[in-house]
Amino acid sequence: MRFIGRIRTPWTDRADCPRQERIDGHDCRIELDPDWQDAPDGLDAYGTVEVLYRMDQSRRDLTHQSPRSDGCTLGTFALRSPTRPDLIGTSIMRLPRIEGGVPHVQGLNCGDGTPLIDRKPDRCAFTPNAPEQPGDIQTV
């Protein structure tokens, strides 16, 4: 896996991060490595984007967790906990602006400097620009 940049948030300590992201939360920046500086071209046509990132400060060894610390557990895949086998986080974020090629999103809940995996237009708002393929219209 190749990281394409870093996420900049107000939180330098994992313990200070919000438990869940908020669409109206803090301003966060998506800083891309130099090779990808032109990649946001056209992204400003979307009001929301999906951000994929590596939760590099999280554990990856729990199959069950107690999110409320009340002794009741749920399976890891039934939660949005940062403790995951591959530590991949995904969030749908509001994209209020792009300044100097740097996308700003609202409400990420990861630590400052989190490695960025990818960023895409929100799949619900995206319409492909390419011609249809046979699989696009096939149903079972």
Side-chain angles (χ1 to χ4, degrees):
M1 182 180 308
R2 178 178 175 198
F3 300 119
I4 62 170
R6 298 279 170 178
I7 298 172
R8 296 296 170 196
T9 71
W11 303 285
T12 56
D13 188 310
R14 181 176 173 242
D16 294 333
C17 293
R19 291 185 68 84
Q20 292 294 323
E21 65 271 1
R22 291 177 47 135
I23 199 85
D24 62 346
H26 284 82
D27 183 74
C28 303
R29 295 184 324 274
I30 307 293
E31 295 182 351
L32 297 169
D33 291 342
D35 290 348
W36 300 102
Q37 289 302 309
D38 293 337
D41 290 350
L43 188 64
D44 54 355
Y46 300 93
T48 53
V49 294
E50 182 175 15
V51 179
L52 289 98
Y53 48 96
R54 172 92 172 163
M55 296 179 285
D56 59 333
Q57 297 181 31
S58 295
R59 292 176 61 175
R60 59 187 303 172
D61 61 341
L62 299 177
T63 59
H64 285 79
Q65 302 174 52
S66 178
R68 293 186 183 94
S69 299
D70 62 2
C72 296
T73 62
L74 293 170
T76 291
F77 298 142
L79 300 168
R80 291 192 51 82
S81 164
T83 301
R84 315 220 55 89
D86 285 320
L87 306 178
I88 296 173
T90 180
S91 295
I92 304 293
M93 300 281 92
R94 195 163 76 97
L95 177 70
R97 68 191 182 286
I98 298 176
E99 289 179 348
V102 177
H104 287 247
V105 296
Q106 283 186 280
L108 278 168
N109 63 337
C110 57
D112 188 52
T114 295
L116 178 67
I117 297 171
D118 204 350
R119 188 190 48 207
K120 312 171 182 228
D122 177 356
R123 68 179 79 71
C124 294
F126 182 74
T127 301
N129 294 322
E132 276 190 351
Q133 295 184 50
D136 293 335
I137 55 173
Q138 290 175 343
T139 59
V140 181

